[in-house]
Amino acid sequence: MKEKAAVATTELRERCRAAGLSFTHQRLVIYQELMAMGDHPAPEDVYERVRRQIPSLSLATVYNNIKIFVEHGLLREVSVHHGSLRLENNLEPHHHLVCTQCKAIEDLSEDDFEPIRLKKSLPKGFSVHRFTVEVLGLCRKCAAANRH
Ligand SMILES: [Zn+2]
Ligand SMILES: [Zn+2]
């Protein structure tokens, strides 16, 4: 799992203010841990890490704060149909490589694709927010395991 640079306190404070959220130490720890994790973490993974810093924190609280972050656009859900909530901390536009066996999710840059556009118009009234492509298959580990 690749680690990313910690989000600066001032940066989160700014994002909270822009979203109309109150800035708390709890939120800072949850957000920083989340943004530092690679591989589209599940809330349970975030909880495991946050708990090391704030042992009194409950999973429900972590869930609630994550939901608030998602609702206010500070982070996104990877996809609504994976059966479990997986969080997106890469805020750049990108696509996904999904392993159908172990559910690993990797980012694919927009540059890996031809520009995506619609050939004909969508059903009336649908307003497009973004395009996201999921390439489904087996990751190297799962493909190798299946061969044995
Ligand atoms: Zn896999
Ligand atoms: Zn992603």
Side-chain angles (χ1 to χ4, degrees), residues 12-29:
L12 181 67
R13 199 189 293 272
E14 198 40 60
R15 284 188 201 167
C16 279
R17 192 171 44 202
L21 288 174
S22 55
F23 174 85
T24 62
H25 174 67
Q26 224 177 47
R27 283 190 178 152
L28 176 66
V29 173

